[in-house]
C-alpha cells in the first residue's frame, strides 16, 4: 500500500537565485491579488475563467511573460481551492490580498516546471538552486513547493509516493481519552501518555525579550524601508522563536506517535484554543501549541487507520466519570481536584475529564449530554470508566 507524503529539504540559493525566486513570487502575488479583485467586484471567478484571464494578461504584459507560467497557474489553482473551501468549510474566510511586507514567498511547480539534475533543483526560466539532500527521495516527485520561512531560509517540499509505514497491531478494545490544558498540554486516561508542558519558549524568554527590545529601538516607523540593524535584530528574534517552535513540534510528534501506536480508539477533546490568545494565559498557551499538537495527533491517527472521535468540550470538566452526575457549579481554575457530590468519586480534574471524553466516545457519542440522557433512564448506578 502506498501513501502520498511530502519530503522537505533545505535549499542554498545564491544571490542571483534569490533575486529570481523573489521576482517570481512578486508575479505570483500580483496574479493572486488580481484574482481577489475579480471576486470582490462580483464576477465570481472560476479556475477556467482565471486561466483565460492569465493568458490574456501574459500576452499584454511583458513583465508577467518574463516569469514562468507554471507557478502562476498553480497560484490561481490554489486561489480557486481556497475560494471553494470558504463556502464549504465552517470558519474559513474568503481569500484576501497578499501584502508585500507581511507575506512570505511560496511557489508551486508541477512536474513540467522543474527537474532534478546533479543534485540541484532546476526550476523554469533557468533558476538553479543547490539542495541539501538529508535523505533520499523514495520516488520521482510529482510537484514541489519552494518557500521561505521567517528567518530567511529557503526550503523545497517535494510530493512523492512511498510504501506505507507498517503500523503495530493493537487491541481493538484499547482506547484513550485526551483532555487539553495549559499547565499540562495533554492529560490522558493513563498517566504514562501525558504530554507535559516543557516551556521551550519560556527558557529563551530573556534572550527573546532582549532581541525584541533591540528591534523596538531600531524601528524607523511605517514609512520607508527599515535599517540593516533592525533586520538583524528581527532575524535574531525569529531564530529564537523558530528554535522553540521546532523543539515543541518535535515533542508533539514523539508523543503523538506513542499514543497512536498503543491505542485503537483515540477520543480527543475538540478544544479550540483561539480564545486563549486574548487571556492572561496567551503567552503560555502559544508556547504549549495545543492546536498544533492536536492536529499532529489526528493526522497520525487517521493515517494509521485508528478510530478518532472528536468530543465537544462542554461539561466534560463538570461531569463525574464514575456516575455521570454533573456538578451544579463550575470549577474554578484553582480547583485542581474533582469531587463528585453524588458518589464521592475523587480524582484530578483533568484526568476525570479525560475519562469522561473516553466514555462518551466508547458509547458512540460526541457530547456529554447524549450519554447522560441515555444513563438517566437506567438510574444513577453506572460503573466507572
Amino acid at each position: 500500500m502506498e501513501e502520498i507524503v511530502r519530503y522537505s529539504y533545505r535549499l542554498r540559493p545564491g544571490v542571483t537565485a534569490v533575486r529570481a525566486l523573489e521576482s517570481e513570487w512578486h508575479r505570483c502575488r500580483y496574479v493572486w491579488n488580481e484574482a481577489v479583485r475579480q471576486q470582490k467586484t462580483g464576477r465570481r471567478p472560476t479556475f477556467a475563467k482565471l486561466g483565460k484571464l492569465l493568458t490574456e494578461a501574459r500576452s499584454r504584459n511583458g513583465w508577467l511573460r518574463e516569469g514562468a507560467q507554471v507557478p502562476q497557474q498553480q497560484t490561481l489553482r490554489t486561489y480557486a481551492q481556497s475560494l471553494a473551501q470558504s463556502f464549504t468549510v465552517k470558519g474559513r474566510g474568503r481569500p484576501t490580498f497578499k501584502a508585500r511586507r507581511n507575506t512570505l514567498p511560496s511557489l508551486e511547480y508541477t512536474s513540467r516546471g522543474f527537474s532534478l539534475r546533479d543534485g540541484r533543483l532546476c526550476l523554469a526560466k533557468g533558476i538553479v538552486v543547490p539542495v541539501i539532500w538529508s535523505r533520499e527521495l523514495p520516488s520521482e516527485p510529482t510537484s514541489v513547493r519552494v518557500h521561505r520561512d521567517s528567518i530567511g531560509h529557503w526550503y523545497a517540499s517535494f510530493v512523492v509516493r512511498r510504501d506505507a509505514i507498517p503500523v503495530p497491531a493493537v487491541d481493538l478494545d484499547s482506547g484513550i481519552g485526551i483532555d487539553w490544558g495549559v499547565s499540562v498540554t495533554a492529560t490522558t486516561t493513563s498517566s504514562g501518555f501525558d504530554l507535559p508542558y516543557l516551556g521551550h519558549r519560556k527558557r529563551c524568554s530573556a534572550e527573546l525579550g532582549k532581541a525584541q527590545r533591540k528591534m523596538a529601538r531600531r524601528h524607523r516607523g511605517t514609512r520607508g524601508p527599515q535599517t540593516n540593524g533592525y533586520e538583524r535584530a528581527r532575524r535574531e528574534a525569529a531564530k529564537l522563536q523558530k528554535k522553540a517552535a521546532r523543539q515543541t513540534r518535535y515533542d508533539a510528534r514523539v508523543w503523538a506517535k506513542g499514543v497512536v501506536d498503543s491505542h485503537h480508539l483515540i477520543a480527543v477533546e475538540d478544544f479550540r484554543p483561539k480564545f486563549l490568545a486574548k487571556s492572561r494565559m496567551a503567552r503560555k498557551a502559544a508556547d504549549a501549541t495545543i492546536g498544533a499538537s492536536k492536529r499532529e495527533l489526528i493526522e497520525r491517527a487517521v493515517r494509521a487507520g485508528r478510530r478518532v472521535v472528536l468530543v465537544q468540550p462542554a461539561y466534560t470538566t463538570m461531569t463525574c466519570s464514575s456516575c455521570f452526575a454533573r456538578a451544579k457549579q463550575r470549577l474554578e481554575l484553582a480547583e485542581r481536584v474533582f469531587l463528585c457530590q453524588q458518589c464521592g468519586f475523587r480524582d484530578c480534574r483533568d484526568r476525570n475529564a479525560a475519562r469522561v471524553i473516553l466514555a462518551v466516545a466508547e458509547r458512540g457519542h460526541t457530547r456529554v449530554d447524549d450519554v447522560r440522557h441515555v444513563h438517566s433512564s437506567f438510574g444513577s448506578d453506572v460503573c466507572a470508566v
Side-chain angles (χ1 to χ4, degrees):
M1 184 177 179
E2 291 185 344
E3 60 180 356
I4 300 177
V5 295
R6 282 188 176 272
Y7 274 46
S8 297
Y9 301 89
R10 176 81 179 274
L11 300 178
R12 293 288 189 183
V15 177
T16 304
V18 168
R19 291 176 180 173
L21 290 173
E22 290 178 347
S23 299
E24 288 286 357
W25 164 242
H26 292 323
R27 295 183 183 93
C28 292
R29 188 177 58 85
Y30 170 80
V31 171
W32 175 283
N33 292 340
E34 285 297 320
V36 174
R37 190 191 312 179
Q38 291 286 327
Q39 170 66 21
K40 288 185 177 295
T41 54
R43 299 181 183 180
R44 298 181 180 179
T46 61
F47 177 67
K49 294 180 180 179
L50 292 174
K52 293 181 180 179
L53 293 176
L54 176 62
T55 303
E56 296 175 0
R58 286 178 62 87
S59 63
R60 298 190 308 265
N61 193 329
W63 176 67
L64 279 179
R65 286 198 306 272
E66 292 177 0
Q69 187 176 8
V70 173
Q72 297 175 14
Q73 289 179 337
Q74 290 301 113
T75 299
L76 293 180
R77 187 180 298 275
T78 304
Y79 172 82
Q81 293 176 353
S82 300
L83 182 61
Q85 291 176 357
S86 66
F87 293 101
T88 57
V89 180
K90 184 179 179 181
R92 186 73 59 84
R94 303 288 186 272
T96 58
F97 291 104
K98 292 183 180 294
R100 183 188 182 109
R101 293 184 178 180
N102 304 330
T103 311
L104 296 175
S106 179
L107 302 170
E108 292 277 353
Y109 290 88
T110 58
S111 57
R112 64 189 184 93
F114 77 97
S115 62
L116 297 175
R117 301 174 187 172
D118 300 330
R120 295 170 178 258
L121 175 62
C122 302
L123 304 175
K125 293 296 181 179
I127 304 176
V128 181
V129 185
V131 184
I132 300 178
W133 297 105
S134 55
R135 51 181 174 172
E136 295 184 0
L137 289 173
S139 63
E140 289 294 328
T142 57
S143 64
V144 62
R145 183 176 70 233
V146 180
H147 61 279
R148 190 185 70 191
D149 62 3
S150 58
I151 305 176
H153 297 165
W154 288 87
Y155 295 89
S157 178
F158 297 94
V159 177
V160 295
R161 291 180 177 272
R162 72 174 184 186
D163 295 333
I165 300 176
V167 181
V170 296
D171 187 4
L172 296 180
D173 296 331
S174 60
I176 187 172
I178 300 173
D179 178 75
W180 303 105
V182 177
S183 58
V184 178
T185 305
T187 303
T188 63
T189 52
S190 176
S191 58
F193 291 95
D194 290 351
L195 177 61
Y197 168 69
L198 299 177
H200 295 297
R201 185 178 177 182
K202 184 178 180 180
R203 287 202 295 269
C204 64
S205 59
E207 298 180 24
L208 181 60
K210 181 179 179 180
Q212 291 174 342
R213 288 191 296 271
K214 188 184 297 183
M215 287 175 55
R217 290 195 303 268
R218 297 178 178 180
H219 194 268
R220 295 178 57 182
T222 57
R223 295 184 179 180
Q226 299 296 330
T227 62
N228 293 333
Y230 173 84
E231 292 297 330
R232 287 194 297 269
R234 185 192 62 80
R235 284 194 295 269
E236 182 181 352
K239 285 182 180 180
L240 293 172
Q241 292 176 332
K242 194 78 170 181
K243 180 180 179 181
R246 285 172 176 170
Q247 291 173 331
T248 306
R249 184 169 64 248
Y250 174 78
D251 295 335
R253 287 178 176 177
V254 173
W255 168 77
K257 185 179 184 302
V259 171
V260 172
D261 291 347
S262 303
H263 303 88
H264 177 72
L265 171 63
I266 301 176
V268 184
E269 180 189 9
D270 194 12
F271 181 69
R272 301 177 182 178
K274 185 176 180 179
F275 73 96
L276 291 176
K278 300 180 182 180
S279 66
R280 294 179 298 176
M281 299 181 293
R283 180 174 297 180
K284 191 173 183 179
D287 190 14
T289 61
I290 300 174
S293 302
K294 174 185 170 184
R295 183 169 57 253
E296 180 70 24
L297 174 65
I298 295 176
E299 289 178 356
R300 283 184 175 270
V302 172
R303 190 188 309 169
R306 306 305 192 201
R307 182 188 170 197
V308 181
V309 180
L310 297 178
V311 179
Q312 297 298 323
Y315 305 114
T316 54
T317 305
M318 301 171 58
T319 304
C320 176
S321 61
S322 178
C323 65
F324 276 92
R326 181 181 299 173
K328 296 182 179 180
Q329 297 180 352
R330 287 186 68 124
L331 275 71
E332 300 294 335
L333 288 176
E335 301 179 40
R336 307 311 304 171
V337 177
F338 177 85
L339 177 61
C340 180
Q341 302 297 333
Q342 299 291 332
C343 65
F345 179 75
R346 183 187 183 92
D347 198 0
C348 170
R349 59 177 287 169
D350 295 335
R351 193 85 60 197
N352 174 75
R355 292 194 176 99
V356 171
I357 292 170
L358 178 59
V360 171
E362 287 178 339
R363 287 155 178 78
H365 299 281
T366 58
R367 294 186 303 175
V368 176
D369 282 338
D370 296 338
V371 178
R372 292 185 73 249
H373 294 332
V374 171
H375 287 284
S376 61
S377 60
F378 296 97
S380 59
D381 188 12
V382 182
C383 61
V385 178

